[in-house]
Amino acid sequence: VQERLEEIRGKLGREYFAEQKAKRLAQKKKKKVLVEPFQKVKDMLFVRIGLIETDIPVELKCSTDFLVKTRKEKMVLATYFDDTHVTVRCGSSGELIFSDERHENFIINEPVVIEPREPEGTVTLFDVAYGRNNFWAGTGDRSFRGRLELSVADARVRVINVVNLEEYLYGVVPSEMPSSWPLEALKAQAVAARS
């Protein structure tokens, strides 16, 4: 199979792959997912959802301007505009290395938070692997409400979504049950997810 793939790659040529890469970068640049924010209430519950843990660079973009802050002191490390594509990878000493398309880099040795400046903002992770070891496995772009926490664990970048419970349900219920199912089934699924 590998030999056949190499043969096909050779026939397609480098220009084809360069063109495909340019198309993918243009799609990433255009991606902008805005949501209706949930009205904040007193004593709102927040949940922490582990999204990925990877040794390949994490690519992300926010649909509004966004901040990168230290998790503990909430010190602002960087401010990015909504069209900025950022790559985060783990360095050889366990640090997070941020870089953007303008080749402006910074390194941080502690966990950070990616936070949209507007409540309707989402953070999109590009090329997220899903369904590992299943026939339906693949990669896709995923947009998340709330904020993301990035840290290093075992020389891998760990990404956690911190979101209020109500907005978490907006995403989890339709991913676990098709919206075409009966309304009472969807209600039951929402109750189970909240529990």
Side-chain angles (χ1 to χ4, degrees):
V1 172
Q2 288 294 346
E3 289 175 12
R4 182 76 175 122
L5 284 172
E6 289 304 318
E7 180 183 330
I8 292 169
R9 286 186 186 114
K11 287 181 180 178
L12 290 172
R14 291 182 186 194
E15 297 83 23
Y16 171 81
F17 290 104
E19 183 181 303
Q20 293 304 311
K21 185 176 182 180
K23 283 182 184 177
R24 183 69 180 131
L25 287 174
Q27 287 175 335
K28 288 178 182 179
K29 192 81 171 155
K30 289 182 201 173
K31 189 124 190 158
K32 189 169 193 156
V33 179
L34 297 170
V35 294
E36 181 78 28
F38 184 80
Q39 296 301 316
K40 295 198 183 321
V41 294
K42 186 179 178 189
D43 301 327
M44 186 177 293
L45 294 175
F46 283 81
V47 293
R48 295 168 48 86
I49 311 301
L51 300 178
I52 59 174
E53 199 168 294
T54 180
D55 53 2
I56 62 173
V58 173
E59 296 179 71
L60 62 91
K61 178 182 173 182
C62 193
S63 59
T64 64
D65 294 354
F66 62 104
L67 305 172
V68 179
K69 301 178 179 180
T70 58
R71 190 173 69 189
K72 285 185 181 177
E73 280 98 38
K74 304 285 189 241
M75 182 177 77
V76 176
L77 302 169
T79 302
Y80 291 106
F81 295 110
D82 65 346
D83 63 345
T84 306
H85 183 266
V86 176
T87 302
V88 184
R89 62 185 173 84
C90 180
S92 59
S93 301
E95 68 275 12
L96 290 170
I97 302 172
F98 280 73
S99 58
D100 63 33
E101 58 220 16
R102 296 181 308 244
H103 305 291
E104 294 180 5
N105 303 332
F106 71 89
I107 298 172
I108 181 81
N109 285 316
E110 62 181 283
V112 298
V113 174
I114 308 289
E115 185 176 289
R117 294 190 86 165
E118 304 297 330
E120 65 272 10
T122 62
V123 183
T124 299
L125 298 177
F126 294 103
D127 304 319
V128 176
Y130 59 86
R132 185 177 52 190
N133 300 328
N134 289 292
F135 71 93
W136 45 270
T139 61
D141 301 341
R142 299 287 187 257
S143 297
F144 299 95
R145 296 170 181 259
R147 62 185 187 268
L148 298 185
E149 290 183 2
L150 280 72
S151 59
V152 174
D154 300 323
R156 297 161 64 91
V157 177
R158 176 183 287 165
V159 183
I160 296 172
N161 183 209
V162 180
V163 63
N164 72 59
L165 181 62
E166 300 305 320
E167 290 183 302
Y168 168 70
L169 292 173
Y170 292 163
V172 76
V173 172
S175 70
E176 293 179 341
M177 183 177 283
S179 62
S180 60
W181 282 23
L183 181 60
E184 292 306 313
L186 292 167
K187 288 179 181 179
Q189 181 63 27
V191 170
R194 183 186 297 274
S195 300

